[in-house]
Amino acid sequence: MSRIGKQPVAVPAGVKVSLNGNTIQIEGKQGSLDFTFSPSVKVVWDESEKSIAVSINEAGLANRQVRALWGTTRAIINNMIVGVTEGYTKKLEIIGVGWTAVHSGQTLKLNVGFANAVEVAIPTGLNVAVEKQMITLTGADKQAIGQLAAKIRSKRPPEPYNGKGIKYADEVIVRKQGKQFGS
């Protein structure tokens, strides 16, 4: 049994839910998201209780893959509801002398110590704000924000000796001492 999957997902007021076959669409003040779930998982929208129930049939309890999809589907639907009501935010910090980021249109230009600026495309539905050395990503889709943040960080990951690089704002970089000269 999935401890996560058997819990119903509460839907707050102001959120519209629609089910079409194996696709669920959720709309709120932050935007609209849709998700296509596996046919082995059953999703039921209860209008009177304002909740979404995720379940599997008895034959699926023996299959490990189906049980994993049960909890994953419920967690994704819950993340979608939180995303369309409150939204998600990730902050990245650029550490390095003269290293900057510039947001222009649907691209983010990173000047992080290479000969040329590195350009990162920004997916639709996500907002990017740059203030000096901080990059703030906001949007309704948790997966898309995490993917973009990881993509930006991978352009120049933080290194442990000088601490230079692009890191998450809440990330702690364990510093190393380096070589000792003379004695």
Side-chain angles (χ1 to χ4, degrees):
M1 294 294 290
S2 173
R3 288 178 283 175
I4 301 290
K6 63 184 176 184
Q7 298 173 359
V9 181
V11 178
V15 176
K16 279 179 48 183
V17 177
S18 61
L19 276 169
N20 290 334
N22 286 351
T23 303
I24 185 168
Q25 184 174 15
I26 299 176
E27 295 180 39
K29 63 182 179 185
Q30 296 286 333
S32 174
L33 297 173
D34 58 340
F35 172 62
T36 303
F37 51 89
S38 173
S40 58
V41 178
K42 188 172 123 184
V43 176
V44 177
W45 162 237
D46 188 2
E47 183 73 41
S48 62
E49 292 185 17
K50 294 283 188 188
S51 67
I52 300 171
V54 181
S55 62
I56 58 175
N57 58 12
E58 293 295 323
L61 287 174
N63 190 346
R64 189 178 183 103
Q65 181 76 27
V66 174
R67 287 195 321 256
L69 286 172
W70 183 15
T72 302
T73 302
R74 191 259 180 213
I76 290 172
I77 291 171
N78 188 47
N79 288 342
M80 290 169 61
I81 289 175
V82 171
V84 298
T85 55
E86 302 166 17
Y88 287 102
T89 302
K90 275 230 190 257
K91 292 188 179 212
L92 295 152
E93 188 176 357
I94 301 173
I95 300 173
V97 177
W99 290 10
T100 60
V102 177
H103 176 245
S104 60
Q106 286 299 100
T107 60
L108 181 69
K109 284 188 178 182
L110 301 170
N111 295 319
V112 287
F114 296 120
N116 299 320
V118 178
E119 291 188 2
V120 178
I122 301 169
T124 57
L126 299 184
N127 299 323
V128 176
V130 178
E131 299 173 15
K132 296 185 180 181
Q133 302 296 95
M134 292 292 287
I135 303 170
T136 306
L137 309 173
T138 57
D141 192 357
K142 184 176 185 177
Q143 191 273 332
I145 287 179
Q147 183 70 35
L148 181 61
K151 190 177 195 181
I152 292 170
R153 185 184 181 276
S154 72
K155 300 302 177 189
R156 194 68 173 214
E159 52 98 7
Y161 294 102
N162 296 325
K164 296 183 350 181
I166 302 173
K167 70 179 193 83
Y168 298 112
D170 57 353
E171 182 179 11
V172 176
I173 306 301
V174 178
R175 301 290 294 270
K176 292 184 179 178
Q177 187 172 359
K179 292 184 178 180
Q180 295 290 323
F181 293 104
S183 66

